Amino acid sequence: MDVRLVCVVAAVVALCGGCGETAVVGARDQEDEGQLWAVLVAGSTGWFNYRHQADVCHAYQILRQHGVPDDHIIVMMMDDIVNSLMNPKPGKLMNRPDGPDVYQGVPKDYTGDDVTPENFLKVLAGDTEGLMGVGSGKVLGSGPNDRVFINLVDHGGPGIFGFPKTFLHARAFVSALTKMHRNKQYKEMTIYLESCNSGSMFKTLPNDIEVYGVSASNATQTSSACYWEEKMQTFLGDVFSVKWMEDTDRENVGQETLETQFFLVRNETNTSIVTQWGQKSLDDLKVGDFLGDGNVVGGNTEPMERFDDACLKSAVSSVDVPVKILEHLVQATVAQPEQYYWLQQLHHLHLNRSLVTQRMLDITRAVTKDEMVAQNMIKDQHHHINHHHCFERSTDTFNRICFNFGMNPYALTVVNAIVNLCEHGYTADEFITAATTVCRDGTITGIN
Ligand SMILES: *[C@@H]1O[C@H](CO)[C@@H](O)[C@H](O)[C@H]1NC(C)=O
Ligand SMILES: *[C@@H]1O[C@H](CO)[C@@H](O)[C@H](O)[C@H]1NC(C)=O
Ligand SMILES: *[C@@H]1O[C@H](CO)[C@@H](O)[C@H](O)[C@H]1NC(C)=O
Ligand SMILES: *[C@@H]1O[C@H](CO)[C@@H](O)[C@H](O)[C@H]1NC(C)=O
């Protein structure tokens, strides 16, 4: 071939850098296109919670496949599943039964004890100094022309997103985003958040800071796990996460808008109300603008399994997951001693759970000094958080001296009582005094 011809071909390819669907994100963003950055967080630990890390690893595979380079993707997860003794496929994670391994190549930026809300907020702030010597030290390096995608998956409660040992308050999260906007750390941002009460994390998100959020559930309801795997004795995914990622795998995300994906995922997720937050007008952007659109060649023609949907058919509320797993284990065992063991575990799980509820009831009794009112504080799921200061001080205390939320995820189900007390005018001081009297037996862990 003539040398000049080669040059012409090369020039045409270069000119076409921004228009090809197969263009790699990192490569095509010269001028104002900007670059794509992503932060992926699974906040839980333990085999019961296999699905959270599987979801986040799947999200990583999507970004990678679409050409987003590793140095623009920051992953935070415990990383205690893949080599767990429970894992029949050591070194592998699946996000659906018989699905591909989603663990391969996942960067171990922050694992184990480094998975904390403080480190997460530093990653968002681009605080290289603050993370020096911690994990990979990788932080968001995005600027005013860049797009940022954040995916958070874990247990949650009203105004709370869990981490393995502590938790993130909604207000701290939103104020970190607001600060990023002030510091011109992004042009636009999309956040997909899966947890119980996930909507409550977005309640105070402003609608003018170029942040668009989607939550798995509204502010007051649970989200759901799905894809029960008999051989592995756990759930492999969560409904909202599975739905948005399987849609992303299926579609041409260079053309599909966030709005189209939202309605589709909301329609398919019949276990909770998938909800949009923040600057909803951003939903006319393409899914590929946030998840990469390299290597996308066209819509997948695989039919959707609407009426025989293995995810939906096996879906259970996230709160019921530990019970379901133990019930399955009881059913699956034939040998008497082993079955007896699992029955005992199930029994203890229920005892453990009633201890949490009992403690919260004792606290509400001590605060309200009225049995009826105390009972209602526990039952009522209705309120939204307005008294943030009271709520934050009280939950911090409950987490510190009664039940650590990260290590006792079930305790998140009684946080609504704290919301209710604060909204009914009881003070954090009253709560703290009562909790100090009721919770005297030191650190309890393992109440799922
Ligand atoms: C949230 O979902 C629950 C059902 O789980 C429903 O009762 C409640 O009205 C919903 N709230 C909003 C604001 O949609
Ligand atoms: C929602 O799902 C139902 C079937 O489950 C389908 O008939 C309907 O067209 C869907 N709506 C949208 C907006 O996708
Ligand atoms: C959701 O849809 C699936 C499949 O169509 C169905 O089996 C399941 O019962 C539905 N769940 C709810 C809560 O409606
Ligand atoms: C019950 O709680 C204790 C801690 O109080 C924990 O060690 C144990 O594993 C829990 N058992 C079950 C079955 O959840």
Side-chain angles (χ1 to χ4, degrees):
M1 201 196 277
D2 181 314
V3 173
R4 268 182 317 171
L5 186 55
V6 173
C7 288
V8 170
V9 171
V12 168
V13 170
L15 275 176
C16 205
C19 58
E21 278 172 355
T22 50
V24 173
V25 177
R28 69 164 184 165
D29 333 297
Q30 273 102 24
E31 300 162 39
D32 15 49
E33 253 319 280
Q35 300 190 6
L36 187 51
W37 290 79
V39 183
L40 314 175
V41 181
S44 67
T45 154
W47 190 254
F48 281 167
N49 299 314
Y50 178 110
R51 63 191 189 280
H52 296 143
Q53 293 182 51
D55 291 337
V56 155
C57 288
H58 186 177
Y60 166 79
Q61 301 300 340
I62 287 172
L63 289 159
R64 276 299 284 158
Q65 202 215 324
H66 293 172
V68 183
D70 272 3
D71 61 3
H72 280 48
I73 307 174
I74 298 141
V75 181
M76 279 192 135
M77 62 174 190
M78 199 67 184
D79 200 25
D80 60 338
I81 300 297
V82 83
N83 293 319
S84 161
L85 291 175
M86 301 283 289
N87 195 353
K89 301 188 173 172
K92 290 189 163 68
L93 276 186
M94 295 186 300
N95 200 209
R96 61 180 158 88
D98 303 315
D101 172 30
V102 291
Y103 187 72
Q104 199 184 6
V106 175
K108 298 181 184 191
D109 293 311
Y110 300 95
T111 60
D113 289 345
D114 295 337
V115 185
T116 65
E118 292 78 20
N119 289 345
F120 169 62
L121 295 178
K122 285 178 191 168
V123 166
L124 294 190
D127 183 0
T128 312
E129 220 164 280
L131 287 171
M132 204 171 289
V134 181
S136 70
K138 221 193 271 176
V139 299
L140 271 183
S142 51
N145 293 326
D146 298 334
R147 294 204 172 111
V148 174
F149 174 70
I150 299 179
N151 183 210
L152 302 169
V153 186
D154 192 15
H155 294 288
I160 285 177
F161 179 81
F163 274 79
K165 288 188 181 156
T166 48
F167 62 100
L168 179 64
H169 278 299
R171 274 211 309 187
F173 180 48
V174 170
S175 90
L177 300 174
T178 311
K179 200 163 160 207
M180 287 174 74
H181 181 251
R182 252 200 329 272
N183 292 343
K184 301 192 170 25
Q185 280 183 270
Y186 60 87
K187 182 157 143 237
E188 285 123 1
M189 187 192 304
T190 288
I191 306 172
Y192 281 0
L193 199 158
E194 168 103 45
S195 72
C196 293
N197 303 76
S198 42
S200 67
M201 290 302 288
F202 289 126
K203 275 245 136 197
T204 59
L205 179 66
N207 61 8
D208 59 357
I209 60 166
E210 309 294 332
V211 176
Y212 165 73
V214 181
S215 62
S217 61
N218 76 18
T220 56
Q221 62 183 175
T222 61
S223 81
S224 289
C226 76
Y227 280 149
W228 170 255
E229 223 294 349
E230 193 65 38
K231 290 186 292 289
M232 305 182 53
Q233 298 291 337
T234 195
F235 291 85
L236 304 188
D238 292 281
V239 177
F240 165 68
S241 295
V242 163
K243 291 302 172 191
W244 79 255
M245 287 192 280
E246 291 190 357
D247 176 59
T248 301
D249 284 334
R250 192 162 52 210
E251 304 248 1
N252 180 343
V253 293
Q255 281 164 16
E256 184 189 25
T257 63
L258 291 168
E259 182 188 31
T260 306
Q261 180 163 81
F262 167 71
F263 282 112
L264 199 137
V265 171
R266 178 158 86 164
N267 194 23
E268 290 190 3
T269 304
N270 64 357
T271 44
S272 57
I273 305 168
V274 175
T275 310
Q276 286 181 312
W277 303 93
Q279 197 155 333
K280 295 179 200 167
S281 61
L282 294 187
D283 75 3
D284 59 9
L285 292 169
K286 305 288 189 283
V287 173
D289 290 337
F290 295 92
L291 289 165
D293 55 9
N295 313 322
V296 174
V297 275
N300 191 330
T301 51
E302 245 178 73
M304 294 196 219
E305 301 172 25
R306 271 200 196 288
F307 302 107
D308 183 28
D309 187 313
C311 167
L312 292 181
K313 282 203 305 201
S314 62
V316 304
S317 158
S318 183
V319 174
D320 295 333
V321 163
V323 177
K324 294 290 172 198
I325 291 181
L326 289 175
E327 283 175 355
H328 275 289
L329 284 164
V330 170
Q331 281 164 16
T333 43
V334 231
Q336 279 289 324
E338 207 189 331
Q339 190 173 56
Y340 181 74
Y341 172 79
W342 291 120
L343 275 169
Q344 283 293 314
Q345 289 293 306
L346 192 56
H347 180 62
H348 283 297
L349 180 88
H350 287 303
L351 285 181
N352 279 354
R353 289 181 161 206
S354 55
L355 175 72
V356 174
T357 316
Q358 191 57 45
R359 284 286 153 82
M360 188 55 102
L361 186 55
D362 289 344
I363 295 173
T364 57
R365 278 187 185 125
V367 172
T368 64
K369 303 182 176 65
D370 182 311
E371 183 62 26
M372 274 292 283
V373 178
Q375 296 275 357
N376 285 336
M377 293 292 148
I378 299 280
K379 275 189 230 128
D380 188 2
Q381 303 279 342
H382 170 73
H383 281 294
H384 291 301
I385 304 164
N386 296 300
H387 294 82
H388 290 276
H389 192 63
C390 169
F391 174 75
E392 287 172 14
R393 278 188 67 211
S394 304
T395 45
D396 287 345
T397 300
F398 188 76
N399 175 70
R400 196 177 68 251
I401 68 175
C402 298
F403 300 96
N404 175 295
F405 296 124
M407 295 189 264
N408 304 282
Y410 186 74
L412 287 163
T413 66
V414 297
V415 170
N416 64 298
I418 305 180
V419 179
N420 295 338
L421 287 171
C422 291
E423 296 305 315
H424 280 98
Y426 298 101
T427 66
D429 285 335
E430 289 171 303
F431 182 91
I432 292 166
T433 306
T436 311
T437 320
V438 172
C439 304
R440 271 166 311 183
D441 42 12
T443 328
I444 295 173
T445 60
I447 305 193
N448 285 290

mmCIF file with all atom_site columns, all heavy atoms in Angstrom, residues 131-144:
data_model
loop_
_atom_site.group_PDB
_atom_site.id
_atom_site.type_symbol
_atom_site.label_atom_id
_atom_site.label_alt_id
_atom_site.label_comp_id
_atom_site.label_asym_id
_atom_site.label_entity_id
_atom_site.label_seq_id
_atom_site.pdbx_PDB_ins_code
_atom_site.Cartn_x
_atom_site.Cartn_y
_atom_site.Cartn_z
_atom_site.occupancy
_atom_site.B_iso_or_equiv
_atom_site.pdbx_formal_charge
_atom_site.auth_seq_id
_atom_site.auth_comp_id
_atom_site.auth_asym_id
_atom_site.auth_atom_id
_atom_site.pdbx_PDB_model_num
ATOM 1  N N   . LEU A 1 131 ? -5.422  9.714  51.269 1.00 0.00 ? 131 LEU A N   1
ATOM 2  C CA  . LEU A 1 131 ? -5.427  8.273  51.034 1.00 0.00 ? 131 LEU A CA  1
ATOM 3  C C   . LEU A 1 131 ? -4.034  7.725  50.734 1.00 0.00 ? 131 LEU A C   1
ATOM 4  O O   . LEU A 1 131 ? -3.892  6.598  50.261 1.00 0.00 ? 131 LEU A O   1
ATOM 5  C CB  . LEU A 1 131 ? -6.408  7.922  49.913 1.00 0.00 ? 131 LEU A CB  1
ATOM 6  C CG  . LEU A 1 131 ? -7.881  8.043  50.335 1.00 0.00 ? 131 LEU A CG  1
ATOM 7  C CD1 . LEU A 1 131 ? -8.812  7.906  49.148 1.00 0.00 ? 131 LEU A CD1 1
ATOM 8  C CD2 . LEU A 1 131 ? -8.224  7.004  51.403 1.00 0.00 ? 131 LEU A CD2 1
ATOM 9  N N   . MET A 1 132 ? -3.050  8.550  51.027 1.00 0.00 ? 132 MET A N   1
ATOM 10 C CA  . MET A 1 132 ? -1.690  8.072  50.791 1.00 0.00 ? 132 MET A CA  1
ATOM 11 C C   . MET A 1 132 ? -1.403  6.868  51.682 1.00 0.00 ? 132 MET A C   1
ATOM 12 O O   . MET A 1 132 ? -1.672  6.896  52.884 1.00 0.00 ? 132 MET A O   1
ATOM 13 C CB  . MET A 1 132 ? -0.700  9.198  51.094 1.00 0.00 ? 132 MET A CB  1
ATOM 14 C CG  . MET A 1 132 ? 0.611   9.023  50.361 1.00 0.00 ? 132 MET A CG  1
ATOM 15 S SD  . MET A 1 132 ? 1.624   10.498 50.559 1.00 0.00 ? 132 MET A SD  1
ATOM 16 C CE  . MET A 1 132 ? 0.750   11.661 49.547 1.00 0.00 ? 132 MET A CE  1
ATOM 17 N N   . GLY A 1 133 ? -0.932  5.801  51.079 1.00 0.00 ? 133 GLY A N   1
ATOM 18 C CA  . GLY A 1 133 ? -0.625  4.609  51.859 1.00 0.00 ? 133 GLY A CA  1
ATOM 19 C C   . GLY A 1 133 ? -1.838  3.755  52.208 1.00 0.00 ? 133 GLY A C   1
ATOM 20 O O   . GLY A 1 133 ? -1.719  2.730  52.865 1.00 0.00 ? 133 GLY A O   1
ATOM 21 N N   . VAL A 1 134 ? -3.016  4.173  51.754 1.00 0.00 ? 134 VAL A N   1
ATOM 22 C CA  . VAL A 1 134 ? -4.227  3.379  52.003 1.00 0.00 ? 134 VAL A CA  1
ATOM 23 C C   . VAL A 1 134 ? -4.637  2.701  50.692 1.00 0.00 ? 134 VAL A C   1
ATOM 24 O O   . VAL A 1 134 ? -4.787  3.379  49.675 1.00 0.00 ? 134 VAL A O   1
ATOM 25 C CB  . VAL A 1 134 ? -5.389  4.281  52.479 1.00 0.00 ? 134 VAL A CB  1
ATOM 26 C CG1 . VAL A 1 134 ? -6.627  3.450  52.763 1.00 0.00 ? 134 VAL A CG1 1
ATOM 27 C CG2 . VAL A 1 134 ? -4.985  5.088  53.692 1.00 0.00 ? 134 VAL A CG2 1
ATOM 28 N N   . GLY A 1 135 ? -4.811  1.398  50.701 1.00 0.00 ? 135 GLY A N   1
ATOM 29 C CA  . GLY A 1 135 ? -5.197  0.675  49.488 1.00 0.00 ? 135 GLY A CA  1
ATOM 30 C C   . GLY A 1 135 ? -4.345  1.074  48.306 1.00 0.00 ? 135 GLY A C   1
ATOM 31 O O   . GLY A 1 135 ? -3.134  1.264  48.426 1.00 0.00 ? 135 GLY A O   1
ATOM 32 N N   . SER A 1 136 ? -4.977  1.236  47.148 1.00 0.00 ? 136 SER A N   1
ATOM 33 C CA  . SER A 1 136 ? -4.231  1.655  45.959 1.00 0.00 ? 136 SER A CA  1
ATOM 34 C C   . SER A 1 136 ? -3.994  3.159  45.964 1.00 0.00 ? 136 SER A C   1
ATOM 35 O O   . SER A 1 136 ? -3.247  3.678  45.146 1.00 0.00 ? 136 SER A O   1
ATOM 36 C CB  . SER A 1 136 ? -5.017  1.289  44.692 1.00 0.00 ? 136 SER A CB  1
ATOM 37 O OG  . SER A 1 136 ? -6.167  2.109  44.604 1.00 0.00 ? 136 SER A OG  1
ATOM 38 N N   . GLY A 1 137 ? -4.691  3.859  46.855 1.00 0.00 ? 137 GLY A N   1
ATOM 39 C CA  . GLY A 1 137 ? -4.557  5.315  46.912 1.00 0.00 ? 137 GLY A CA  1
ATOM 40 C C   . GLY A 1 137 ? -5.267  6.031  45.771 1.00 0.00 ? 137 GLY A C   1
ATOM 41 O O   . GLY A 1 137 ? -5.245  7.254  45.688 1.00 0.00 ? 137 GLY A O   1
ATOM 42 N N   . LYS A 1 138 ? -5.941  5.263  44.913 1.00 0.00 ? 138 LYS A N   1
ATOM 43 C CA  . LYS A 1 138 ? -6.616  5.848  43.750 1.00 0.00 ? 138 LYS A CA  1
ATOM 44 C C   . LYS A 1 138 ? -7.800  6.714  44.205 1.00 0.00 ? 138 LYS A C   1
ATOM 45 O O   . LYS A 1 138 ? -8.564  6.314  45.081 1.00 0.00 ? 138 LYS A O   1
ATOM 46 C CB  . LYS A 1 138 ? -7.141  4.696  42.890 1.00 0.00 ? 138 LYS A CB  1
ATOM 47 C CG  . LYS A 1 138 ? -6.986  4.865  41.385 1.00 0.00 ? 138 LYS A CG  1
ATOM 48 C CD  . LYS A 1 138 ? -7.833  3.829  40.674 1.00 0.00 ? 138 LYS A CD  1
ATOM 49 C CE  . LYS A 1 138 ? -7.128  2.520  40.404 1.00 0.00 ? 138 LYS A CE  1
ATOM 50 N NZ  . LYS A 1 138 ? -8.062  1.532  39.783 1.00 0.00 ? 138 LYS A NZ  1
ATOM 51 N N   . VAL A 1 139 ? -7.929  7.904  43.598 1.00 0.00 ? 139 VAL A N   1
ATOM 52 C CA  . VAL A 1 139 ? -9.067  8.785  43.896 1.00 0.00 ? 139 VAL A CA  1
ATOM 53 C C   . VAL A 1 139 ? -9.661  9.290  42.584 1.00 0.00 ? 139 VAL A C   1
ATOM 54 O O   . VAL A 1 139 ? -9.057  9.123  41.522 1.00 0.00 ? 139 VAL A O   1
ATOM 55 C CB  . VAL A 1 139 ? -8.643  10.006 44.755 1.00 0.00 ? 139 VAL A CB  1
ATOM 56 C CG1 . VAL A 1 139 ? -8.078  9.566  46.093 1.00 0.00 ? 139 VAL A CG1 1
ATOM 57 C CG2 . VAL A 1 139 ? -7.635  10.873 43.997 1.00 0.00 ? 139 VAL A CG2 1
ATOM 58 N N   . LEU A 1 140 ? -10.815 9.922  42.659 1.00 0.00 ? 140 LEU A N   1
ATOM 59 C CA  . LEU A 1 140 ? -11.392 10.524 41.462 1.00 0.00 ? 140 LEU A CA  1
ATOM 60 C C   . LEU A 1 140 ? -10.487 11.652 40.996 1.00 0.00 ? 140 LEU A C   1
ATOM 61 O O   . LEU A 1 140 ? -10.185 12.565 41.769 1.00 0.00 ? 140 LEU A O   1
ATOM 62 C CB  . LEU A 1 140 ? -12.775 11.112 41.768 1.00 0.00 ? 140 LEU A CB  1
ATOM 63 C CG  . LEU A 1 140 ? -13.994 10.215 41.628 1.00 0.00 ? 140 LEU A CG  1
ATOM 64 C CD1 . LEU A 1 140 ? -15.249 11.045 41.910 1.00 0.00 ? 140 LEU A CD1 1
ATOM 65 C CD2 . LEU A 1 140 ? -14.074 9.585  40.250 1.00 0.00 ? 140 LEU A CD2 1
ATOM 66 N N   . GLY A 1 141 ? -10.086 11.584 39.740 1.00 0.00 ? 141 GLY A N   1
ATOM 67 C CA  . GLY A 1 141 ? -9.235  12.643 39.210 1.00 0.00 ? 141 GLY A CA  1
ATOM 68 C C   . GLY A 1 141 ? -9.993  13.460 38.187 1.00 0.00 ? 141 GLY A C   1
ATOM 69 O O   . GLY A 1 141 ? -9.386  14.074 37.308 1.00 0.00 ? 141 GLY A O   1
ATOM 70 N N   . SER A 1 142 ? -11.289 13.482 38.293 1.00 0.00 ? 142 SER A N   1
ATOM 71 C CA  . SER A 1 142 ? -12.129 14.100 37.263 1.00 0.00 ? 142 SER A CA  1
ATOM 72 C C   . SER A 1 142 ? -12.116 15.616 37.358 1.00 0.00 ? 142 SER A C   1
ATOM 73 O O   . SER A 1 142 ? -11.885 16.184 38.417 1.00 0.00 ? 142 SER A O   1
ATOM 74 C CB  . SER A 1 142 ? -13.559 13.578 37.399 1.00 0.00 ? 142 SER A CB  1
ATOM 75 O OG  . SER A 1 142 ? -14.007 13.717 38.733 1.00 0.00 ? 142 SER A OG  1
ATOM 76 N N   . GLY A 1 143 ? -12.410 16.248 36.227 1.00 0.00 ? 143 GLY A N   1
ATOM 77 C CA  . GLY A 1 143 ? -12.445 17.708 36.153 1.00 0.00 ? 143 GLY A CA  1
ATOM 78 C C   . GLY A 1 143 ? -13.741 18.201 35.543 1.00 0.00 ? 143 GLY A C   1
ATOM 79 O O   . GLY A 1 143 ? -14.664 17.407 35.330 1.00 0.00 ? 143 GLY A O   1
ATOM 80 N N   . PRO A 1 144 ? -13.811 19.506 35.251 1.00 0.00 ? 144 PRO A N   1
ATOM 81 C CA  . PRO A 1 144 ? -15.074 20.141 34.853 1.00 0.00 ? 144 PRO A CA  1
ATOM 82 C C   . PRO A 1 144 ? -15.711 19.597 33.572 1.00 0.00 ? 144 PRO A C   1
ATOM 83 O O   . PRO A 1 144 ? -16.896 19.823 33.347 1.00 0.00 ? 144 PRO A O   1
ATOM 84 C CB  . PRO A 1 144 ? -14.709 21.614 34.693 1.00 0.00 ? 144 PRO A CB  1
ATOM 85 C CG  . PRO A 1 144 ? -13.238 21.703 34.801 1.00 0.00 ? 144 PRO A CG  1
ATOM 86 C CD  . PRO A 1 144 ? -12.722 20.455 35.412 1.00 0.00 ? 144 PRO A CD  1
#
